[in-house]
Amino acid sequence: MPPRRRLNPADRRAQLLAVGARLFAASPYDDVLMEDVSREAGVSRALLYQHFPSKHALFAAVYQQAAEQLLVATRFEPGASLVEQLTQGLDAHLDYFVANRHAVLAANRVLAGDPVIQTIMTDELDALRSRLLGVLPLADERVRDAVSAALKAWLVFVQVVCVDWLTRETCTRTELRDTCVGAAVGALRPLLPEDPAADRPAPAPVHEAPYPSSGS
């Protein structure tokens, strides 16, 4: 074990989160051991457990931090078109999903149904929905309620198709993103006063080769 650097509690926690994030991104959840985290961080297991009493607690903290960072990276601005905003937000999330495939699959598959992890994901989806509602042209409360329900369903759809794509990449990333954007446009078009994709150019032919499926 390398010599331990003396850090204040906040800096030590940040260091342990960074190490945990790196290990959960690199390996499946079941393969990450708390001993690995303590060794990589250069601390004793006793010190690690002072900050995070279990692997579950560490993973939850890592995932909470990631959700907060994704909200910061996802910008919704009234001046931009809906398609532009959805594209930017999806790109930010897909960047994280691709770089942290094991962590995303752990949260959505290994720990599916875990109340702590589910609360983190639900809170992020609710925040995204609220921010989208804040930049859309909504005529009245009835329209707002209808759009809110459509966005809630769309965000769940995005979550499901993205997790499936991480498991078995049957299309390109660009195709995945454009499918999600198209689903949102289709769901919201009947509810908004103007076509949310009126100025959207026809998609250019995609020349990316699909990833080989895991079953081939």
Side-chain angles (χ1 to χ4, degrees):
M1 180 183 296
R4 184 190 308 171
R5 290 186 298 140
R6 297 186 64 85
L7 299 174
N8 64 48
D11 288 342
R12 179 64 71 190
R13 186 177 191 276
Q15 181 217 13
L16 294 173
L17 281 174
V19 171
R22 185 168 66 251
L23 293 179
F24 285 125
S27 302
Y29 179 83
D30 289 340
D31 292 348
V32 177
L33 304 177
M34 290 295 268
E35 297 88 278
D36 300 331
V37 179
S38 64
R39 183 175 59 254
E40 288 286 323
V43 302
S44 67
R45 280 183 288 177
L47 180 57
L48 172 60
Y49 282 110
Q50 286 179 18
H51 288 271
F52 302 102
S54 66
K55 181 170 76 170
H56 175 275
L58 174 61
F59 182 84
V62 166
Y63 213 71
Q64 177 68 62
Q65 182 181 70
E68 293 169 357
Q69 291 171 345
L70 282 171
L71 285 174
V72 172
T74 304
R75 301 182 301 275
F76 295 129
E77 301 172 359
S81 71
L82 176 63
V83 169
E84 290 171 335
Q85 301 194 72
L86 293 177
T87 299
Q88 186 277 327
L90 283 163
D91 277 337
H93 278 72
L94 287 171
D95 284 345
Y96 175 79
F97 293 166
V98 170
N100 298 271
R101 180 187 305 262
H102 289 301
V104 175
L105 291 178
N108 287 274
R109 294 285 171 84
V110 180
L111 298 174
D114 179 88
V116 175
I117 303 302
Q118 289 304 309
T119 295
I120 293 170
M121 290 192 286
T122 298
D123 287 348
E124 189 208 353
L125 295 182
D126 286 346
L128 290 170
R129 177 166 50 123
S130 177
R131 289 166 62 179
L132 275 168
L133 287 170
V135 299
L136 290 173
L138 305 176
D140 52 40
E141 198 62 28
R142 182 194 66 81
V143 173
R144 179 183 177 85
D145 289 344
V147 170
S148 179
L151 287 174
K152 183 176 182 178
W154 175 74
L155 287 164
V156 173
F157 164 79
V158 171
Q159 181 180 17
V160 171
V161 298
C162 287
V163 170
D164 285 348
W165 180 77
L166 288 174
T167 306
R168 184 169 179 265
E169 296 169 348
T170 54
C171 65
T172 67
R173 171 177 162 159
T174 301
E175 290 168 339
L176 173 68
R177 184 200 65 196
D178 290 348
T179 295
C180 293
V181 172
V185 169
L188 297 178
R189 182 176 278 128
L191 302 173
L192 299 177
E194 297 180 2
D195 186 343
D199 299 327
R200 185 184 188 188
V206 176
H207 300 297
E208 301 173 60
Y211 293 93
S213 66
S214 57
S216 60

